[in-house]
Amino acid sequence: MTPPGRGHARGTFGELLQGVLPDGGHFLVTLPITAGVTAHFHHVPDADDLTVTPEHKRKSLVVARRALTALGRRGGGHLRLTGDLPEGKGMASSSADLVATARAVAASVSGAFAPAEVEALLRGIEPSDGVMYDDVVVFHHREVRLHSRLGHLPDLVVVGYDEGGQVDTVEYNRRLPAVGRAERVEYGHLLDRLTTAVRAADGAEIGRVATRSAELHAAHRERRAFAAVRRAADLAGGLGVVAAHSGTLLGVLLSGDDPDLDQKIAEIRRQCAALGGPLSVHRAVTHPRAEVNGAA
């Protein structure tokens, strides 16, 4: 029996920045983290059906079928998805499922997809978080199209707080209120600042931009824990606050090489304890990674 193909995709902790540009284009800037999704695909050339475990991951079957067609292969097979990204929280779990699936299908037949080809496979299924790229990217999530690549982050840690529940990304994007011209201009300026900050590995400026994006977001959608998480960031000496704009997570950005990192994490835990709900700690992806099928 031919061994299954394997594909992996990283998640993202919300977005460093998300909004609308002066030209009206909706965009986000990823914050890639080390947690992710792994897919295994066993190709059965003489079968018709495609199946998936867990069974509710039906969108991944659409990508699997598209990937087989793009590779000029017939048949079916079985897809298995595993990972450590919770659903509906704003960690790109669905996008990571789809990207890992495309990579696993390609690996099963000794093929490969470039990131732009993965975009094409996902387009029209749902908005995507841009996790077919492992570096920081500016991404038109509604069109599933790359805007630009910014490079890799400095060593960053995110202490995340979950407000609870789940957010449907598709429904969230349908209900977004209109963004006025002044705010679109500000988003353009924030993107310029963030582009410079990522390329300069300036963690403090990355934190300031992320905080402002979270503030703008909170003005349009109630985030009950935002004030408390921001206060925790200030008291712990964090770099700033990051939000999952279409999710339930808020986080405090910290420098991963801070000699007081452990104490700062403990302080944030103390400050957020009264909120109830779970906290988690995540590492940003900070180094170049292979972006073709099979990356791990």
Side-chain angles (χ1 to χ4, degrees):
M1 180 180 291
T2 304
R6 179 180 180 276
H8 188 79
R10 300 296 190 186
T12 179
F13 190 98
E15 300 81 23
L16 290 170
L17 175 62
Q18 182 170 331
V20 184
L21 292 171
D23 64 5
H26 290 255
F27 78 102
L28 58 80
V29 180
T30 58
L31 197 177
I33 57 174
T34 56
V37 170
T38 299
H40 293 88
F41 182 73
H42 178 65
H43 181 222
V44 183
D46 57 354
D48 293 324
D49 293 339
L50 285 171
T51 56
V52 63
T53 304
E55 291 184 356
H56 70 281
K57 305 276 189 177
R58 308 298 298 178
K59 291 178 181 178
S60 291
L61 292 182
V62 177
V63 169
R65 178 60 69 195
R66 288 182 177 184
L68 284 172
T69 299
L71 293 161
R73 301 299 180 110
R74 295 185 176 184
H78 181 70
L79 173 69
R80 179 168 58 89
L81 294 162
T82 59
D84 45 10
L85 298 177
E87 297 179 11
K89 299 297 183 181
M91 300 184 76
S93 62
S94 183
S95 291
D97 284 345
L98 303 186
V99 173
T101 294
R103 291 172 172 170
V105 172
S108 74
V109 296
S110 301
F113 289 118
E117 293 173 311
V118 176
E119 289 179 20
L121 294 175
L122 271 58
R123 198 166 289 131
I125 296 176
E126 65 178 14
S128 171
D129 295 83
V131 295
M132 62 287 297
Y133 301 92
D134 286 310
D135 51 346
V136 181
V137 297
V138 185
F139 203 76
H140 292 295
H141 51 289
R142 293 185 171 189
E143 295 87 359
V144 192
R145 179 172 56 83
L146 179 69
H147 176 284
S148 56
R149 303 178 75 159
L150 303 188
H152 293 273
L153 290 169
D155 190 2
L156 294 177
V157 169
V158 188
V159 182
Y161 172 74
D162 185 1
E163 291 183 312
Q166 292 184 323
V167 173
D168 184 308
T169 302
V170 175
E171 189 62 25
Y172 170 82
N173 277 279
R174 284 177 183 157
R175 295 187 176 187
L176 276 178
V179 177
R181 175 166 177 74
E183 198 167 327
R184 295 198 305 268
V185 169
E186 181 173 5
Y187 279 122
H189 291 321
L190 288 170
L191 179 55
D192 290 342
R193 287 172 56 190
L194 186 56
T195 297
T196 300
V198 171
R199 290 173 177 168
D202 185 344
E205 178 69 349
I206 290 171
R208 286 189 288 268
V209 173
T211 300
R212 181 56 182 157
S213 182
E215 286 177 341
L216 291 167
H217 169 64
H220 293 291
R221 175 189 158 202
E222 182 182 2
R223 301 304 298 261
R224 63 175 181 79
F226 177 71
V229 172
R230 184 169 185 179
R231 180 173 182 271
D234 291 341
L235 291 174
L239 300 173
V241 175
V242 62
H245 293 70
S246 58
T248 65
L249 294 171
L250 296 166
V252 178
L253 283 173
L254 299 170
S255 174
D257 58 7
D258 190 324
D260 298 321
L261 179 63
D262 290 342
Q263 295 94 314
K264 290 184 176 183
I265 292 174
E267 177 62 23
I268 293 165
R269 289 187 182 277
R270 283 193 294 271
Q271 292 297 323
C272 292
L275 294 172
L279 279 86
S280 55
V281 179
H282 308 273
R283 281 271 177 182
V285 174
T286 60
H287 53 83
R289 300 190 53 81
E291 291 151 354
V292 295
N293 132 91

